[in-house]
Amino acid sequence: MLTFISIQNYALIESLEIDFEPGYSAITGETGAGKSILIGALSLILGNRADTNILKDKEKKCVVEAHFDIQRYSLKVFYDENDIDYDEITVIRREISPTGRSRAFINDTPVNLSLLKDLSVQLTDIHSQHHNLNLNNHLFQLNVLDAYAKLNTDVDSYKHKFYSYNKAKKVYSNLIEKANKEKADLEYFQFRFDELEDAKLIPGEQVEIESELQQLNHAEEIKQNLSAVFSYLSDEETGISNKLRESLSALKTIQKYYNKADSIIERLESTKIEIDDISDEIETSAEDIEHNPERAEFLKERIDTVYELQNKHKVSSVEELIEIKEDLQIKLNDITSYDQQIAKSKQHLDLLESDLTELADYLSKGRKEASEKLEEQIILLLQKLAMANAGFVVSQIVNDKFSEYGRDTINFLFSANKHVSPQEISEIASGGEISRLMLSIKSVISDEMALPAIIFDEIDTGVSGEIAEKIGHIMKDMSDNMQVISITHLPQVAAKADHHYRVYKIEGDIDTRTDITRLSKEDRITELAKMLSGENLTEAALRNAEELLK
């Protein structure tokens, strides 16, 4: 419940503090005294946007703070999930600076307006006259029926399944679209893959082919020069090997009496062995080199194929061509596996649709069963509100397509007069009738709303006398389950309250400001009497006020 509100520098309010009690509270005051200002300030606490126009003193910030006792409500999970300190007396504060900057706090933890709204809808419901327009909204009507039927948890389960179904439906549709598009490209992908596959590309072969082809194209020149080198090394008369042999023989003749000869001989012998080895290798290589036009032509065709593929795919190596072939293989595998993917996706979609149908049918059945009871209760309440011939019907149409809330379209039909068939509320109900109908609906679902508080802002506009008294009774009954605060101009409604507050305006020499006070029993009698007869109090008005309070 709302236990306390403090308002600083808001509209006509300079500084104001109010303590609220459990049960039913009434707030009254003359027209223009500022009753609606209280609602505006409380709306800031509930996350509504504001600008600097609301500042009474444009040089100071506006601060609105409200305390809520939430110990009977299961809200700790919300606090934990949003990393907010939990306190059974939750303090919400909203600040609007002269520059227009807005800040919000929950138990001194800074929060954004979205999070503030998420919490506020679980704390209180402010109902003003313009909310009566909700009665013409089919979604509002559906939510009322679901709350009355205690289907909110089931609706949440359905929504979760519905979102999964839509997601699976999109996946299925995208798969078909992608499959159709890529199947059209199948022939092109297959051609490109086959071309690369037929080339039988081998990593590193380009370098080897280019090297071998160079050798074949210069075979005669290579053979000729190798033979010359072999002659330079191995000729029996002039070859290097022969000269080394002669050098060794000369050194050995002086070896006994020339101490450096040993190391030189050792080095020359090593060199001769290396020269002989090189000579043998050159001789063998020269024999292996031969002009092979057939081999050269084969290699030329092979390297031309590689170059052509590289140019076509805009790459510069065989390895990159192999990567392209592997990518094409993956695409081909994907395309050929689309049928399996689509079948699997369709199976999943059908399963979700079956579950969704079952949940939607359950919701439809629950709504249908609750509709008759809701109709009966609303009609009984309307009769109490002096609408003896009122008719109220919940029309339910079960559609073929799924929506976010099931397959039902709910429409409230209303008639205030005998022999008149119930019709759309917007087409037949007056303002006063809509107010009474909305109050009846709020009363019926108050148990299911599980809110700490509900605030009615002049919902009784357009009614008077006995009807007003009945409205007061209904609000009083609602306060058995939740805190009810009613801003009213009717004494019959105010008299039923457990607690009575009066809003008044103070007109000074410099400015005008709004304040509020809690009335004693004697003050209540005076206030009710003024509401009955005006400022000129009469004994009759005071007696009527006393009777009302009894």
Side-chain angles (χ1 to χ4, degrees), residues 462-477:
V463 299
S464 60
E466 184 182 354
I467 300 174
E469 187 173 355
K470 297 292 185 183
I471 288 176
H473 274 300
I474 291 174
M475 290 186 179
K476 175 64 176 171
D477 290 341

Side-chain angles (χ1 to χ4, degrees), residues 6 24 35 96 99 118 128 170 261 320 333 361 367 390 475:
S6 168
Y24 173 31
K35 298 188 294 298
I96 311 296
T99 61
D118 289 343
S128 57
K170 187 175 182 180
E320 289 173 298
N333 290 340
D361 289 345
R367 288 163 179 164
M475 290 186 179

Side-chain angles (χ1 to χ4, degrees), residues 135-236:
L135 267 179
N136 299 317
N137 185 300
H138 294 303
L139 179 56
F140 173 80
Q141 296 172 2
L142 178 63
N143 289 337
V144 166
L145 182 59
D146 286 343
Y148 181 76
K150 295 181 174 62
L151 289 173
N152 288 336
T153 301
D154 300 300
V155 171
D156 288 342
S157 298
Y158 170 88
K159 282 183 181 179
H160 180 74
K161 187 69 70 174
F162 177 73
Y163 296 145
S164 298
Y165 170 76
N166 273 349
K167 185 177 179 181
K169 196 174 180 180
K170 187 175 182 180
V171 169
Y172 177 68
S173 176
N174 288 343
L175 266 177
I176 292 177
E177 182 180 348
K178 191 175 180 182
N180 290 336
K181 180 181 181 300
E182 295 201 1
K183 280 182 179 179
D185 297 331
L186 177 62
E187 186 175 340
Y188 173 65
F189 289 151
Q190 190 68 57
F191 171 77
R192 293 179 70 192
F193 173 80
D194 290 343
E195 190 177 43
L196 291 169
E197 178 72 6
D198 293 342
K200 301 188 186 321
L201 299 167
I202 301 170
E205 68 171 316
Q206 182 177 353
V207 174
E208 294 178 3
I209 292 172
E210 290 172 341
S211 176
E212 186 179 353
L213 192 57
Q214 281 277 81
Q215 181 174 304
L216 286 172
N217 289 336
H218 299 83
E220 291 298 330
E221 183 182 353
I222 293 171
K223 192 175 184 71
Q224 182 180 352
N225 282 279
L226 286 176
S227 296
V229 172
F230 176 75
S231 176
Y232 297 150
L233 295 176
S234 303
D235 186 83
E236 289 187 5

Side-chain angles (χ1 to χ4, degrees), residues 284-425:
T284 302
S285 297
E287 292 172 355
D288 290 340
I289 295 296
E290 61 179 14
H291 181 58
N292 189 337
E294 293 80 8
R295 176 66 178 171
E297 184 62 27
F298 168 77
L299 292 177
K300 185 176 183 305
E301 290 178 0
R302 179 63 176 171
I303 201 66
D304 285 346
T305 298
V306 171
Y307 289 157
E308 182 180 352
L309 290 172
Q310 288 176 348
N311 185 55
K312 182 180 288 187
H313 294 281
K314 294 181 172 54
V315 295
S316 58
S317 69
V318 169
E319 288 72 21
E320 289 173 298
L321 289 174
I322 292 173
E323 284 184 18
I324 291 172
K325 186 190 79 169
E326 290 171 349
D327 289 341
L328 287 168
Q329 179 70 73
I330 293 172
K331 285 187 176 181
L332 290 170
N333 290 340
D334 286 343
I335 293 173
T336 54
S337 69
Y338 270 131
D339 290 340
Q340 291 179 339
Q341 294 181 54
I342 290 171
K344 187 176 180 181
S345 178
K346 183 64 167 65
Q347 184 180 15
H348 178 57
L349 184 63
D350 289 343
L351 182 62
L352 286 173
E353 185 172 349
S354 176
D355 292 344
L356 203 60
T357 301
E358 185 178 342
L359 287 171
D361 289 345
Y362 178 81
L363 291 176
S364 295
K365 182 181 177 183
R367 288 163 179 164
K368 184 172 181 59
E369 292 174 353
S371 293
E372 296 179 6
K373 297 177 182 178
L374 179 61
E375 290 169 354
E376 292 175 5
Q377 284 194 256
I378 294 297
I379 290 173
L380 283 174
L381 284 169
L382 289 174
Q383 288 172 349
K384 290 182 180 180
L385 294 171
M387 299 177 71
N389 297 314
F392 180 78
V393 175
V394 179
S395 169
Q396 178 179 3
I397 299 173
V398 181
N399 306 297
D400 294 330
K401 292 184 178 180
F402 298 110
S403 75
E404 189 179 1
Y405 296 88
R407 293 191 298 184
D408 301 307
T409 297
I410 299 299
N411 192 5
F412 288 173
L413 305 178
F414 172 76
S415 171
N417 302 305
K418 196 173 184 179
H419 307 306
V420 177
S421 300
Q423 300 175 39
E424 291 265 2
I425 295 171

